[in-house]
Amino acid sequence: MLCMRFDVLTIFPDMFTPILMDSIIGRAVKSGILEINTINIRDFSKDKHFKTDDYPYGGGSGMVMTPQPIYDAWQSVVNGLDYVPKLVYLSPQGNCLTQKKALELREEKHIVLLCGHYEGIDERIIELIVDEEVSIGDYVLTGGELPAMVLIDCVSRLVPGVLPSEEAFSNESHYSGLLEYPQYTRPYDFMGKTVPETLISGHHANIDKWRQEMSLKRTAQKRPDLLKPSPL
Ligand code: 4GX
């Protein structure tokens, strides 16, 4: 039944309760398709004040997350497993989280997510245990928790059984590399603006053609960068 497991190493485990409650992800956790655990890095601190950060060697402003509690928190997840789960560190220096990257991560049965704070984590953690750094975009947040939630949300919805229907994600934005076509629901006339005639014609071939054309037109207008051949 269990399809995918996430373990989140964080100093703010309570931030994750909203995505584990009431949401589509929460429902998948309750039904056993997903397992999501949070591990409080602070619980593993050997410091007498349970500190998880320290001053940077070489000086400078801000604090750096100490390696020991992170390493021991990771050990607590890996202990007893007969495989080593992929460890992803959320950081602005990472590979961009795209739909392609989400489809790739969906192939893992178990992902451990490491959330950093302050000026980041001790570089030796990245060298010793991090498999991949992933960024959710070119902006700076206060911590890796929101990026971890974004990653869990976008990878989880690709796991079979999490969304009500499989087709729900097969024709949506970015799946085909194009943006979605415009959607309409009732009423037919809203504030004098009516629904495009093709959509009420009942002619399915014409509707498909209209949607494809609109997807392409929209992408050219709003995100022309998506139509350019990628350098990779
Ligand atoms: N996409 N953040 C990581 C700590 C940090 C600081 C410096 C490395 C170097 C982010 C993003 C993001 C905030 C998570 C800073 N790590 N993560 N954190 N954008 O902004 O993923």
Side-chain angles (χ1 to χ4, degrees):
M1 185 66 185
L2 176 66
C3 229
M4 192 160 183
R5 171 174 167 185
F6 294 95
D7 287 272
V8 189
L9 312 180
T10 170
I11 54 170
F12 293 117
D14 293 344
M15 277 184 76
F16 290 84
T17 10
I19 70 154
L20 301 171
M21 306 272 293
D22 302 321
S23 62
I24 289 176
I25 304 305
R27 201 187 52 197
V29 170
K30 280 192 195 86
S31 75
I33 305 167
L34 296 177
E35 180 182 335
I36 306 175
N37 307 302
T38 53
I39 293 96
N40 193 341
I41 294 169
R42 197 174 298 281
D43 292 345
F44 294 86
S45 174
K46 290 193 173 124
D47 174 86
K48 63 176 182 291
H49 300 113
F50 302 104
K51 262 169 51 106
T52 56
D53 62 335
D54 210 335
Y55 298 99
Y57 268 112
S61 65
M63 302 294 272
V64 175
M65 285 180 81
T66 323
Q68 176 272 318
I70 297 174
Y71 192 86
D72 290 354
W74 174 75
Q75 275 292 319
S76 80
V77 173
V78 173
N79 257 341
L81 298 176
D82 58 5
Y83 59 90
V84 183
K86 183 176 178 114
L87 177 54
V88 172
Y89 176 50
L90 288 311
S91 133
Q93 296 165 37
N95 299 320
C96 196
L97 181 63
T98 58
Q99 198 59 24
K100 182 169 166 254
K101 177 59 72 185
L103 286 161
E104 189 186 307
L105 293 172
R106 139 88 193 88
E107 297 304 314
E108 304 284 335
K109 61 177 173 176
H110 186 178
I111 295 178
V112 184
L113 299 167
L114 173 57
C115 305
H117 271 266
Y118 323 110
E119 302 309 308
I121 62 176
D122 189 297
E123 189 67 19
R124 290 163 295 183
I125 285 293
I126 297 174
E127 289 167 6
L128 285 168
I129 60 175
V130 170
D131 294 300
E132 183 173 0
E133 286 181 80
V134 172
S135 165
I136 65 158
D138 292 337
Y139 39 80
V140 182
L141 299 165
T142 57
E145 281 75 13
L146 287 169
M149 285 184 240
V150 168
L151 188 150
I152 290 172
D153 192 278
C154 105
V155 174
S156 294
R157 62 190 292 292
L158 300 173
V159 171
V162 171
L163 288 188
S165 70
E166 190 108 346
E167 61 192 336
F169 65 73
S170 63
N171 62 0
E172 71 191 5
S173 286
H174 295 298
Y175 191 84
S176 61
L178 296 179
L179 299 182
E180 233 174 318
Y181 46 78
Q183 299 276 18
Y184 297 87
T185 185
R186 287 184 293 180
Y188 170 72
D189 185 320
F190 183 71
M191 310 276 270
K193 294 172 86 64
T194 57
V195 174
E197 293 305 316
T198 313
L199 296 179
I200 52 166
S201 67
H203 191 301
H204 291 290
N206 282 355
I207 292 171
D208 285 349
K209 189 165 160 280
W210 182 87
R211 286 179 165 168
Q212 269 172 33
E213 283 169 7
M214 291 305 283
S215 278
L216 199 61
K217 195 175 149 199
R218 259 195 173 187
T219 312
Q221 264 167 7
K222 297 189 181 184
R223 292 292 306 276
D225 56 301
L226 295 176
L227 295 173
K228 290 199 196 97
S230 109
L232 291 178

